[in-house]
């Protein structure tokens, strides 16, 4: 099955067919290009959707503490990774399919043009040989007619008795000349005919089959290239299926991590005031002044002096107690958070102490670094002046003293509020055991008793990880994950800004190592921090460099 033998006379149709093949190749390339644009737009829209619904990290936004919200933001992270895989598909299609098709299309056009030019040249050469043969044939035919005319003229003059001998001799010479020329043209025509037949045989049995064979091979290679691109089109999608499956598994894991009990406890921790429920209102007898002792046998309620209660005062007190069930009275924010309910005040103080401790640790690390640098300068004066570090060292020491004073002051306030909360808890516990009416409580205005006989110290309550998570959402938009890593060694992460991790733990990478030996990572629950680059095995996504 060869185009050269089967289609020896179909040059024009083969020209059209090869052009159609290249057009079809470019049509498929256009299809792939539009698919790439769809994938890119899809990935862009997904990223915009994730960015739109990511937490704004406002200080008033407390939702990220709830497991349902954390799960949703983890799903957004997974969706962001999924969008990255759509970008990978677009990149693979662009590089392995579309780019290859356009390059091959250019090669096909060049090759096709060359083969068709060879075919046209061969046909032109055959046409030239045919014209030479045809011209020699026509010349031979013309000379033969001229020779016949010369012979007829000679015979007529030879038979004419009136013709002179000179005329007869002249006619004979003309006949001999024409006959000689006819013989020469006959030989020329025979040679041209033989040459044309040879060229024609060579054209249809050697040249054209060879050219058509090249065209056939070119067209078959085009078909094979299309098949490979079809497979590459599917492979580009298949390569991301494992990571897409991990994204979907991450979404499923986020859904399973929702804990309604924990969310309920977070609501309690967020809004618990620490106050006890109001006790029973006492019976106020306004009818005592009506009854008088009529006789010794008359039973009446004895008059009690000093028991009369002003109705207005009672109502005012009752209204004062009911603020717990209505709007909380607003007041100026105090440094010791005394304007807050006990439980919320304890949480705020603990949070401030944690922040101050982190700042103190940071200042301590800075002091140690300055001392080391000063030692280096003292040993190597050419590197710097040790005295130039003294102002900064003094400033750091001053900051440390200030932070220690702040921590001590806040710990004193925390000790005070913890003692009061514990005392109220003991009173409530005692009341529940003895089934008695609730004893006295603090005033609704937020003042608390300092009676040491009624208070018992208790340890501060532990804070859940949601506080740190909530703090994280007070910053800017979260950075998208650009890869993931696996912890090779455990890391304590005591310093501020670092992230503790266990051996084998999987973390998201949100910022690469800038050359300082630290990589920024994030847990599934959204907790972020820096980890040593040498402690982890990092895997980055391909599209993360440009997206």
């Amino acid at each position: 099955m060869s185009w050269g033998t089967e289609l020896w006379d179909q040059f024009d149709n083969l020209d059209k067919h090869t052009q159609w093949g290249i057009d079809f190749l470019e049509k498929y390339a256009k299809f792939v290009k539009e698919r790439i644009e769809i994938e890119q737009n899809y990935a862009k829209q997904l990223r915009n959707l994730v960015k739109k619904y990511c937490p704004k990290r406002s200080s008033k936004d407390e939702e990220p503490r709830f497991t349902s919200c954390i799960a949703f933001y983890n799903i957004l992270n997974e969706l962001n990774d999924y969008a990255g895989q759509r970008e990978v598909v677009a990149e693979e299609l662009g590089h392995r399919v579309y780019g290859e098709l356009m390059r091959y299309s250019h090669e096909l056009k060049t090759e096709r043009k060359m083969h068709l030019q060879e075919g046209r040249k061969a046909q032109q050469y055959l046409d030239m040989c045919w014209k030479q043969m045809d011209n020699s044939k026509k010349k031979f035919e013309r000379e033969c007619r001229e020779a016949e005319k010369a012979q007829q003229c000679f015979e007529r003059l030879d038979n004419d008795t009136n013709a002179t001998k000179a005329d007869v001799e002249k006619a004979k010479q003309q006949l001999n000349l024409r006959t000689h020329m006819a013989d020469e043209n006959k030989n020329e025509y025979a040679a041209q005919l033989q040459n044309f037949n040879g060229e024609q045989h060579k054209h249809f049995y050697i040249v054209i089959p060879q050219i058509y064979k090249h065209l056939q091979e070119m067209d078959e290679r085009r078909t094979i290239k299309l098949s490979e691109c079809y497979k590459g089109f599917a492979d580009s999608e298949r390569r991301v299926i494992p990571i897409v499956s991990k994204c979907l598994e991450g979404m499923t894991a986020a859904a399973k991590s929702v804990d309604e009990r924990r969310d309920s406890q977070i609501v309690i921790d967020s809004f618990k005031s620490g106050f006890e429920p109001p006790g029973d209102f006492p019976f106020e007898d306004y009818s005592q002044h009506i009854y008088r002792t009529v006789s010794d046998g008359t039973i009446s309620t004895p008059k009690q002096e000093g028991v009369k209660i002003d109705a207005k005062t009672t109502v005012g007190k009752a209204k004062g107690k009911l603020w717990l069930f209505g709007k909380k009275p607003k007041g100026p924010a105090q440094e010791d958070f005394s304007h807050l309910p006990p439980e919320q005040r304890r949480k705020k103080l603990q949070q401030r102490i944690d922040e101050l401790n982190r700042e103190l640790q940071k200042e301590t690390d800075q002091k140690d670094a300055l001392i080391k640098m000063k030692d280096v300068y003292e040993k190597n004066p050419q590197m710097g002046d040790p005295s130039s570090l003294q102002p900064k060292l003094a400033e750091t020491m001053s900051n440390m003293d200030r932070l220690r004073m702040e921590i001590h002051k806040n710990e004193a306030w925390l000790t005070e509020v913890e003692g009061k909360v514990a005392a109220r808890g003991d009173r409530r516990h005692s009341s529940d055991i003895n089934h008695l009416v609730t004893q006295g409580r603090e005033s609704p205005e937020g003042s608390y008793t300092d009676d040491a006989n009624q208070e018992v110290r208790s340890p501060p309550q532990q804070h859940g990880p949601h506080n740190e998570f909530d703090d994280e959402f007070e910053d800017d938009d979260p950075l998208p994950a650009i890869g993931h890593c696996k912890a090779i060694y455990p890391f304590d992460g005591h310093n501020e800004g670092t992230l503790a991790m266990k051996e084998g733990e999987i973390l998201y990478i949100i910022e690469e190592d800038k050359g300082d030996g630290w990589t920024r990572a994030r847990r599934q629950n959204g907790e972020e921090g820096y980890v040593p680059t040498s402690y982890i095995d990092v895997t980055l996504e391909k599209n993360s460099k440009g997206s």
Side-chain angles (χ1 to χ4, degrees):
M1 182 181 63
S2 173
W3 288 8
T5 56
E6 304 291 338
L7 304 175
W8 62 270
D9 58 342
Q10 299 297 320
F11 182 85
D12 292 338
N13 287 330
L14 291 180
D15 184 3
K16 294 178 181 178
H17 173 74
T18 52
Q19 182 61 47
W20 171 86
I22 294 176
D23 292 342
F24 182 78
L25 187 75
E26 292 180 341
K27 182 178 181 180
Y28 179 68
K30 183 179 179 181
F31 161 77
V32 175
K33 181 180 179 182
E34 292 183 4
R35 167 68 189 276
I36 292 172
E37 292 174 353
I38 290 173
E39 290 289 352
Q40 290 173 340
N41 291 334
Y42 180 45
K44 182 179 179 181
Q45 291 175 2
L46 284 179
R47 289 195 184 278
N48 290 337
L49 181 66
V50 170
K51 185 176 180 181
K52 177 180 178 181
Y53 285 94
C54 270
K56 303 304 180 184
R57 301 197 177 191
S58 171
S59 59
K60 298 180 180 179
D61 186 8
E62 298 183 353
E63 287 187 355
R65 297 179 299 169
F66 298 100
T67 59
S68 57
C69 298
I70 296 173
F72 174 62
Y73 298 139
N74 288 336
I75 288 175
L76 289 179
N77 288 332
E78 297 294 346
L79 189 60
N80 190 65
D81 295 342
Y82 177 79
Q85 294 309 304
R86 302 323 306 173
E87 292 175 347
V88 170
V89 170
E91 182 179 350
E92 287 287 324
L93 288 176
H95 176 68
R96 298 172 59 87
V97 181
Y98 179 73
E100 185 67 18
L101 284 173
M102 296 308 295
R103 181 191 63 80
Y104 194 70
S105 174
H106 179 71
E107 292 179 358
L108 283 181
K109 289 179 180 179
T110 304
E111 184 179 357
R112 174 180 175 274
K113 182 178 180 181
M114 180 185 69
H115 293 321
L116 292 179
Q117 285 179 349
E118 291 177 354
R120 291 190 180 96
K121 286 180 180 180
Q123 186 64 42
Q124 289 173 359
Y125 179 72
L126 183 64
D127 292 342
M128 182 189 69
C129 292
W130 182 85
K131 287 180 180 180
Q132 290 177 352
M133 183 273 297
D134 189 58
N135 289 335
S136 62
K137 176 184 176 181
K138 291 178 179 179
K139 189 175 182 181
F140 170 61
E141 182 182 4
R142 185 172 61 254
E143 292 297 331
C144 287
R145 285 197 299 269
E146 291 295 330
E148 287 177 0
K149 289 180 181 180
Q151 184 177 3
Q152 291 175 1
C153 179
F154 170 74
E155 289 177 354
R156 181 172 51 78
L157 290 175
D158 189 40
N159 294 328
D160 187 5
T161 56
N162 296 324
T164 65
K165 186 178 180 179
D167 291 337
V168 173
E169 191 64 26
K170 184 179 179 180
K172 185 178 180 179
Q173 290 178 357
Q174 185 69 23
L175 174 61
N176 291 334
L177 179 62
R178 290 297 179 183
T179 302
H180 178 71
M181 292 181 64
D183 290 339
E184 287 182 354
N185 282 282
K186 178 181 179 181
N187 294 333
E188 178 68 19
Y189 167 61
Q192 292 294 336
L193 180 61
Q194 184 179 2
N195 179 65
F196 172 75
N197 288 335
E199 293 297 334
Q200 180 176 255
H201 184 274
K202 180 181 177 182
H203 177 81
F204 288 111
Y205 287 94
I206 298 177
V207 178
I208 288 297
Q210 189 70 20
I211 294 173
Y212 286 5
K213 180 183 178 182
H214 292 159
L215 288 173
Q216 181 180 357
E217 291 174 352
M218 180 194 73
D219 193 69
E220 289 175 353
R221 289 199 308 272
R222 175 191 62 83
T223 305
I224 293 173
K225 179 60 70 174
L226 278 174
S227 175
E228 292 174 353
C229 289
Y230 295 159
K231 184 175 180 296
F233 188 87
D235 289 342
S236 298
E237 189 78 29
R238 187 179 292 108
R239 286 189 184 92
V240 303
I241 288 178
I243 301 180
V244 169
S245 298
K246 289 183 180 179
C247 293
L248 298 177
E249 290 172 1
M251 294 181 186
T252 303
K256 292 180 180 179
S257 67
V258 176
D259 187 350
E260 68 280 1
R261 295 285 185 179
R262 182 179 173 187
D263 285 358
S264 297
Q265 185 61 42
I266 291 174
V267 175
I268 294 174
D269 294 338
S270 300
F271 304 113
K272 181 179 178 181
S273 66
F275 292 120
E276 296 180 9
D280 294 339
F281 283 91
F283 178 76
E284 300 174 3
D285 191 358
Y286 295 98
S287 63
Q288 290 182 1
H289 65 284
I290 299 176
Y291 299 101
R292 297 290 185 271
T293 303
V294 179
S295 63
D296 294 336
T298 303
I299 300 176
S300 64
T301 304
K303 183 176 180 181
Q304 299 179 3
E305 304 236 348
V307 185
K308 186 175 180 181
I309 302 175
D310 189 357
K312 293 182 180 180
T313 304
T314 304
V315 173
K317 289 183 179 179
K319 287 183 179 179
K321 293 179 181 180
L322 291 177
W323 71 265
L324 282 170
F325 307 99
K327 280 191 175 182
K328 183 178 177 180
K330 295 183 179 179
Q334 302 294 328
E335 183 183 5
D336 60 352
F337 300 111
S338 58
H339 61 288
L340 295 176
E343 186 67 21
Q344 299 303 318
R345 182 188 180 195
R346 184 187 66 78
K347 290 177 63 178
K348 287 291 186 181
L349 288 171
Q350 185 64 54
Q351 182 178 348
R352 179 189 286 173
I353 291 172
D354 293 340
E355 292 175 356
L356 291 172
N357 281 324
R358 285 195 293 268
E359 293 181 14
L360 179 60
Q361 182 63 41
K362 186 177 180 181
E363 294 292 336
T364 302
D365 294 341
Q366 185 174 357
K367 182 198 73 171
D368 295 341
L370 289 171
I371 292 175
K372 290 180 180 179
M373 190 179 297
K374 184 178 179 181
D375 293 340
V376 172
Y377 286 177
E378 290 175 350
K379 295 178 181 178
N380 301 284
Q382 68 275 10
M383 297 184 66
D385 183 10
S387 60
S388 64
L389 300 177
Q390 194 61 37
K392 184 65 177 178
L393 191 59
E395 180 184 355
T396 303
M397 297 293 291
S398 175
N399 291 337
M400 291 174 62
D401 293 339
R402 177 182 56 81
L403 289 172
R404 288 193 184 100
M405 292 178 61
E406 288 289 330
I407 292 172
H408 179 72
K409 180 172 61 175
N410 282 273
E411 284 178 345
W413 290 333
L414 181 62
T415 301
E416 176 188 353
V417 71
E418 282 176 349
K420 293 176 181 178
V421 170
R424 284 191 296 274
D426 284 351
R427 289 200 301 272
R428 177 180 297 180
H429 182 67
S430 175
S431 175
D432 290 342
I433 293 176
N434 296 292
H435 303 285
L436 297 176
V437 179
T438 305
Q439 300 290 323
R441 61 182 181 86
E442 66 282 350
S443 69
E445 287 78 17
S447 60
Y448 312 107
T449 176
D450 292 330
D451 187 358
N453 296 327
Q454 297 179 0
E455 296 180 356
V456 179
R457 288 289 306 276
S458 66
Q461 296 184 6
Q462 295 290 331
H463 288 261
H466 58 268
N467 288 332
E468 295 179 2
F469 188 87
D470 191 36
D471 294 339
E472 295 222 355
F473 284 82
E474 296 177 6
D475 301 325
D476 299 330
D477 292 339
L479 295 172
I482 60 175
H484 62 277
C485 69
K486 182 178 180 181
I488 305 175
Y489 309 105
F491 179 62
D492 295 335
H494 293 312
N495 295 337
E496 181 185 15
T498 59
L499 181 66
M501 61 182 181
K502 300 178 181 178
E503 182 178 356
E505 185 175 1
I506 303 298
L507 305 172
Y508 289 111
I509 298 297
I510 57 177
E511 186 176 318
E512 293 185 74
D513 187 349
K514 302 300 184 181
D516 55 1
W518 295 90
T519 299
R520 192 173 180 183
R522 178 170 61 217
R523 282 202 177 93
Q524 286 280 352
N525 62 1
E527 185 179 2
E528 296 181 1
Y530 287 91
V531 297
T533 307
S534 59
Y535 280 42
I536 57 176
D537 182 13
V538 179
T539 302
L540 298 178
E541 298 178 359
K542 294 181 179 180
N543 62 310
S544 65
K545 275 71 177 175
S547 57

